[in-house]
Amino acid sequence: MKSIYKTSIYFLTVLVLTSCVSEIPNTSNFEPKVFISGFLTNGTEYVNIRIQQTVPIEEQRLNPINDAQISLYTQDSNGNDELITNSFDIVNGMYRSSEMITSVIGNAYWVEILLEDGTLFISDKEVLKPEITINDIEITNDLNRVIFADPIDTTNFYLINFLFYRNGSLDLKVTELTNDVLFNGNSNATFDSTEFTTNPVGKEVRVSISNLNFNTYQFYLNQFAQFENQITNAGSEDDPGQLFLPPPANLTGNIMNMTNNTRALGFFGVQSSAQFIKNF
């Protein structure tokens, strides 16, 4: 099964966007926009959310927002809503929950963000899906394959990471996106990466699978398409400078600006993740 979009990223995670600027050539018409990015996963952990404003294309800097009020909510399977926390520590636009949060599979989660000027953002309610069981990994000179159990009778969307380590150091990270249209319900579903390593002998391979909601999956698709477009138009993927090119202003996700009833830039993703480690 080939992925819909792929990108190979050396020494870079794709789950948190560390900067965002708006690609608007005419700075005289530039209007700053709020960009929000964060996620909640299975288990017990801190929840991190970044909030910042976009800046003109020629300014390579961050413009963090440090005065927002964030409330994290959950809804159980019976439809009961509960405030989990509204206490966050803030450092340079990064908000971290003051306490670790224990998530519940099957519950829905969302955030409400109130800015100092009264602008209100609310993310879509997203259900935390079950963790995927990974059965095995197969790595050869021309194949990266993960074998896992796909849930029955539901459409699933996956973010799959292949991480290759040698002597404790990360050699290569390959990130893929796919859905389960061709293997829905298969207890031994196989996914083959569209890019592979050479000479896997002596490497430790870690594969993680994140079970996504559709809106988060769509946001990652747009992000990957943006990255590939940057590489195509601005140089080689091997040029580290390409990783820091400014993203365009169309990375809208699952957050609504309730003040003007428009989609905001960024997303708050809810996803469960599983990892499998194997030495070759």
Side-chain angles (χ1 to χ4, degrees), residues 73-76 104 106-110 125-128 270:
Y73 291 90
T74 188
Q75 183 180 81
D76 64 22
V104 178
N107 277 17
Y109 294 88
W110 74 97
K125 295 179 181 179
E126 292 199 352
V127 175
L128 183 62
V270 176

Side-chain angles (χ1 to χ4, degrees), residues 22 34 39 45 67 75 79 86 88 96 111 148 166 170 173 185 217 230 242 256 266 273:
S22 179
V34 175
F39 57 93
E45 64 176 13
D67 53 11
Q75 183 180 81
N86 56 11
F88 287 80
R96 190 179 85 159
V111 290
F148 60 98
R166 188 183 296 278
L170 180 62
K173 178 177 180 179
Y217 169 77
Q230 289 173 323
Q242 304 308 314
M256 285 293 298
S273 298

Side-chain angles (χ1 to χ4, degrees), residues 101-239:
I101 305 301
T102 300
S103 57
V104 178
I105 298 297
N107 277 17
Y109 294 88
W110 74 97
V111 290
E112 298 186 4
I113 299 172
L114 181 65
L115 302 187
E116 190 176 36
D117 65 3
T119 303
L120 176 63
F121 298 91
I122 301 179
S123 67
D124 295 339
K125 295 179 181 179
E126 292 199 352
V127 175
L128 183 62
K129 295 186 175 183
E131 180 178 322
I132 297 302
T133 300
I134 303 175
N135 299 326
D136 200 5
I137 304 170
E138 295 178 3
I139 305 293
T140 67
N141 287 333
D142 56 2
L143 173 70
N144 297 338
R145 171 175 290 170
V146 57
I147 304 170
F148 60 98
D150 182 76
I152 300 174
D153 297 332
T154 182
T155 301
N156 289 281
F157 305 93
Y158 299 122
L159 175 73
I160 302 177
N161 288 310
F162 291 83
L163 294 94
F164 299 87
Y165 287 83
R166 188 183 296 278
N167 298 324
S169 298
L170 180 62
D171 261 357
L172 173 66
K173 178 177 180 179
V174 179
T175 300
E176 306 272 8
L177 282 169
T178 188
N179 57 43
D180 65 351
V181 170
L182 297 183
F183 51 76
N184 183 33
N186 190 336
S187 60
N188 281 294
T190 61
F191 176 86
D192 295 346
S193 171
T194 54
E195 183 160 336
F196 50 86
T197 186
T198 57
N199 188 21
V201 176
K203 290 187 177 181
E204 176 187 274
V205 181
R206 305 177 187 178
V207 174
S208 66
I209 299 180
S210 295
N211 196 356
L212 311 176
N213 287 267
F214 174 76
N215 286 338
T216 300
Y217 169 77
Q218 190 62 50
F219 182 86
Y220 281 133
L221 279 179
N222 293 338
Q223 183 184 346
F224 285 11
Q226 165 207 314
F227 181 86
E228 291 188 350
N229 183 62
Q230 289 173 323
I231 296 302
T232 300
N233 293 317
S236 167
E237 184 176 358
D238 295 328
D239 178 4

Side-chain angles (χ1 to χ4, degrees), residues 20-38:
C20 176
V21 292
S22 179
E23 190 170 325
I24 302 176
N26 188 349
T27 57
S28 63
N29 296 326
F30 173 76
E31 294 183 7
K33 303 292 185 182
V34 175
F35 187 93
I36 301 167
S37 63

Side-chain angles (χ1 to χ4, degrees), residues 37-40 46-50 88 94-97 268:
S37 63
F39 57 93
L40 177 146
Y46 293 102
V47 174
N48 295 289
I49 302 171
R50 183 181 296 278
F88 287 80
M94 177 62 78
Y95 295 70
R96 190 179 85 159
S97 59
F268 180 74

Side-chain angles (χ1 to χ4, degrees), residues 49-114:
I49 302 171
R50 183 181 296 278
I51 308 177
Q52 60 192 62
Q53 280 189 319
T54 59
V55 298
I57 185 67
E58 70 274 8
E59 298 185 22
Q60 299 297 318
R61 63 179 178 86
L62 298 177
N63 188 14
I65 295 175
N66 294 313
D67 53 11
Q69 299 177 28
I70 300 180
S71 299
L72 173 65
Y73 291 90
T74 188
Q75 183 180 81
D76 64 22
S77 57
N78 295 319
N80 300 312
D81 295 348
E82 178 185 354
L83 172 65
I84 298 176
T85 185
N86 56 11
S87 178
F88 287 80
D89 300 322
I90 309 166
V91 178
N92 198 29
M94 177 62 78
Y95 295 70
R96 190 179 85 159
S97 59
S98 300
E99 298 180 355
M100 300 183 77
I101 305 301
T102 300
S103 57
V104 178
I105 298 297
N107 277 17
Y109 294 88
W110 74 97
V111 290
E112 298 186 4
I113 299 172
L114 181 65

